[in-house]
Amino acid sequence: MTTNDDLVLDDPVGQSLGSRHAHLARRIGRATTYLAEVATFSSVSADPGPQDWSDLAGLLGPGAFADMFNCPAVPPSSWEPVFSLEGRQMIWPDDGLPGQPRAESDTGVVELGAENVVEMLDLVARTKPGPFWPRTHELGTYLGIRVDGTLVAMAGERLRPPGWTEISAVCTAAEAREQGHAARLVSALTARIVARGDRPFLHVAEANTAAIALYERLGFKTRGPVTFRGFRTP
């Protein structure tokens, strides 16, 4: 259910780039996108016109990929559609508390940073949780779990519209699944986000029923459906 408190989640990319991720933004007019190697997410105004699409194309360059996330507006016909994926947006309830999972989740969980990019990219390549680039870790805190020194699970913070922090890049290596790693990492991030006064939210593909069940079990509620779209500039 949408309330006035969560309207920023209708455009989490634009809201993030205009506030807490402004230092990672490129902008022309009303079109904005992240710095290269941070993220491919782009945003235009709520009612984009030809100039807005032209400005975004200028930012990205010819033949570039534009991940429009959940933008309801469709670019001009000269932009090539790349993908369309049905998903849902889930949020942490405003009266929700991380509770018992918090104590368990901190055990064996480590923070990841620039020095861990190579192994983070390797894990992402093997598990394919979604877009992740060499500088994606700059979007927020990333946590991981290692087994015998090898990174086998990861999750982190991505979009950060005012008052909210998105949990993303939740992934576990095939050989380490069904051991509760994802639940521990999401719980740990949830506890940290709530402790600093934000509310967690996340996005998940509608076909990923196992992930949806996990997030519901941890306390997340569905806010509504989303359609992720990507295009290539002319």
Side-chain angles (χ1 to χ4, degrees), residues 35 54 216:
L35 295 174
S54 177
E216 289 178 337

Side-chain angles (χ1 to χ4, degrees), residues 182-196:
R184 290 168 61 198
L185 290 168
V186 172
S187 295
L189 285 168
T190 297
R192 291 178 181 225
I193 293 167
V194 171
R196 68 170 182 252

Side-chain angles (χ1 to χ4, degrees), residues 26 40 42 56-67 79-80 82 230-234:
R26 296 180 287 156
T40 55
S42 300
L56 183 56
L59 271 177
L60 298 174
F65 177 64
D67 192 329
W79 291 51
E80 175 191 355
V82 175
F231 300 87
R232 197 163 301 283
T233 60

Side-chain angles (χ1 to χ4, degrees), residues 149-165:
T150 299
L151 185 67
V152 298
M154 180 179 76
E157 300 172 354
R158 191 169 64 177
L159 301 176
R160 296 192 63 191
W164 297 82
T165 298

